[in-house]
Amino acid sequence: MIGGPQGSGINSVAENFAKACIRGGLHVFANIEYHSNIKGEHSYYRLRVDSRELRSHVDWVDLLVALDKETLFGDLTKAHPTHSGHRHEVSPGGGIIYDAGLKLSPDSFGRDDITLFPIPYMDLLIDALKEFGKERELSKYQVMVNTIALGASLGLVNYDFGLASEAIREGFTGRKAALGELNISAAQHGYDYAEKIFGHSAFPIRLQRQALGGKRMMIRGVQAVAIGKVKAGCGFQTYYPITPATDESEYLESHQGNYNMIVVQAEDEISAINMATGAAHAGLRSSTSTSGPGFSLMAEGLGWSGITEAPGPVIILWQRSGPATGMPTRTEQGDLRFALHAAHGEFPRMIIAPGDVVECFYDTFDAFNYAERYQVPVIVLADKFLASTYKDIPFLNTDGMKVDRGDLLQELDITKNPDYKRYQLTELGISPRTRPGQKGGIFWTTGDEHDEYGHITEAAGLRVRMMTKRMKKIELAGQVIPDSKKATLHGPRTAPITIVGWGSTKGAILDGMEELSANGVEANFLQIRYVSPFPTELVQKVLYESRRKIAIENNYSAQMAGLIREMTGIAVDNKIVKFDGRPFSQNEIYEGVRDIVKNGMSEVMLSHA
Amino acid sequence: MLELKNYRTQVHNDWCPGCGDFGIVNAIQMTLLEMQLEPHRIAVFSGIGCSGKTPHFINAYGFHTLHGRVLPIATGAKLANPSLTVIAVGGDGDGLGIGAGHFVNTGRRNLDFTYVLHDNGVYGLTKGQASPTLPKGLKTKSMPAPSIQEGVNPIAMAVASGYTFVARSYALDVRHLKMTLRAAIEHRGSAFVDVLQTCPTYNDINTKEWYAGDDLPTKAPRLYKLEETGYDGRVSDATIRDVVNAKKGDALLKSFEWGEKIPIGVFFKMEVATFEDQLATRMPALAEKPFVEQDIYNRDIALLLDELA
Ligand SMILES: Cc1ncc(C[n+]2csc(CCOP(=O)(O)OP(=O)(O)O)c2C)c(N)n1
Ligand code: SF4
Ligand SMILES: [Mg+2]
């Protein structure tokens, strides 16, 4: 773990460390916790490295890298303290790298079971700067102590420095190349110092390269979604800045030149969704990306997309803790019910909740196909934890991914039917669509109830037929899309315990299950991926056979458990919830299930508090 | 040769008899006819209100959107397919009340489209409450008390927001309206036309007779044409800041003239790069063909993946 004030560059340290690891054949799972603040507040990056694939983080730390004192001791001296630092989280036998310049007495750590590695950050940085004749510009380069710390941590675990310097170098291209060399030198100073002063055996954990298991990449949730959009042929993205969604749009905008995708920063989320729907009606695959506060503003627009049977947009809802501004930079799965019911009236919508970064890519891609095939808005329900999850994965495989544009007529087909009706009542509920500009395809569309041409009506009979036609589409989607996409039962079919979850808790649950199994508790895991259309029969079947059903959710009320009850009539037996804005760790899943199974608790609320 | 009937639909029109909206929809149809634009190359967007029904009467792709959201939806469609002639229409409540944020921010973009405001001083469809353009202190027929909120100046707002064509016309002067709409549609950039529209049902102040000046001692019409007074709102050189600012100043000053004399015509006009032009500098493919006509459904993402390796 590396911690420091915001603006101190913990990201680049963690990310360079991660890159160096995957290039050495290792596996990484990383995620960041930060404040809604630009400079100064405490933030930390958790980096878990192993020789096998990782899907979650843990709450203990083997090596803590502190860029400041608060990372160690918290902010207890402040008027309104919020945390007591991370020194307690270091596991016995672990170590702490910190600034020797802080002149801390070893006793102040209150730990005699760990090793302290004070590193003179500033002195080493000055040494590095001297080599480049820049020692007099120290204040300008001060943030580079983060790179000293990166080097020191690599030195302690005795990892291949060449891989790290390569990663650093890539971050500084073109005019910045010289700065890259300076950073490499700083890292080298940290590395050499740690090796020289503490020797090879001071820290028990070694990181060793291993053979590469195929081509791998490091990816964040926001990037996985964005790349899914590129692959799907999205041509239009709108957004209004909001954490944690913005990074996705900025990523797309920075790559738009290569892919011909219009990215518009709208004046608010009302505009963002409506622009996207306008583009969808005009025939371009479109999307918008937001978080809870923005999605709240989008509600009416969502309904317009629904009643006008627009082929989209795809809406990415990066949940964060609410309500209102809540905790803007913290995670939560609090918007399941909201996504399902946002906007007045009844209309079909699809909702997919990817469980990890890889699913973020494929689910986003599918979302565009559904939007056009069923002419519905599609919501991809992700969250801050997934957005900032940074993990190694095999190269995304795009074999067999096919764009399906649904019933989009070509001019030639349109001319065959001189009386084109955009909202033709069809057996399946889907009316072939045209796009503005096509000859013979003129249509009208309105948020009022309408006839087959798209003109306003208040006739009771027509209302019933149109409403039924629209609602049929979600039934159709439910029948056509295989259950295997909508939900997955992980682990042994007949385990005595079934964990039920959705979205970003997947990784922690899977890793937690292994830990449970190693301790004699067998469980399987029903991951629900499609919220709408809901895999009712499959869920019913699995839960009917299950002896003990435990819902695990990153919210207060276990919203999915409620939905399951609504859809299947089956009540879960126990709940494990967490709503402190932090994601579940592997060990929390283990502890939560253990508390239920071994200690007889019926409901568990977990928190970092 | 396209005829007037090619721009009309058979949809039943339920506006009140004598409503100024008839003048606006007729003028739009006649302008399109005059320009001989093919109906399938045109998309008409509207908000919610009496005025919101307009697209249903025009034979062109028609989008009857949400209250206040006509501009974002028109913007999205226009960007998806810049080859369309896009006309947005809406009420004064729609555009300057609930949709005011979009009004300002759409002006900032200078998209190549036309926005026609049905300025009747009231919320027609909800039965005559004050609209944002109704001056303070006035009470129209169905209002319980005079308005204690200041009225906004649509022309001044448009100039300040960045619309590059700003004009006013009158729903009952179809010739002038036609001429103004044509200039607006032909303008490359965001064109805003504030159309003074009579609402005989609820606005008993700004009536046809009032505009005709029947209540004035002189009996002289209130409306006069800017171009007949030698006023020229065109910016001669958009690259010179002072020239632009001077013209904006003139337009703002004129826009506050209201009462016994009310100017109509073009207040401001300037040619600068449109939003689409600017996007095309980032994505040259956009200058060739709208993205809806391009094959963007077979993209190779190898570049993106390599970046993350
Ligand atoms: C979000 C929302 N709020 C309120 C309404 C009710 N409403 C319908 S039309 C209208 C006002 C119409 O006035 P204006 O925009 O001036 O159009 P006009 O009828 O005068 O042409 C209102 C408030 C609505 N449709 N949507
Ligand atoms: S209420 Fe006014 S604006 Fe609406 S249709 Fe009647 S006259 Fe026209
Ligand atoms: Mg009005």
Side-chain angles (χ1 to χ4, degrees), chain A residues 353-381:
Chain A
D356 56 35
V357 291
V358 173
E359 290 178 7
C360 278
F361 172 71
Y362 292 108
D363 288 352
T364 302
F365 179 87
D366 286 344
F368 286 88
N369 281 350
Y370 298 146
E372 291 202 315
R373 162 65 46 205
Y374 301 104
Q375 302 182 29
V376 291
V378 183
I379 299 164
V380 176
L381 200 51

Side-chain angles (χ1 to χ4, degrees), chain A residues 23 253 256 259 267 438 445, chain B residues 61-62 64 102 109 282 309:
Chain A
R23 286 172 189 176
E253 189 162 1
Q256 70 180 162
Y259 291 104
E267 57 272 27
Q438 284 179 317
T445 190
Chain B
Y61 283 92
H64 183 197
H102 307 312
R109 296 191 185 104
R282 293 186 188 179

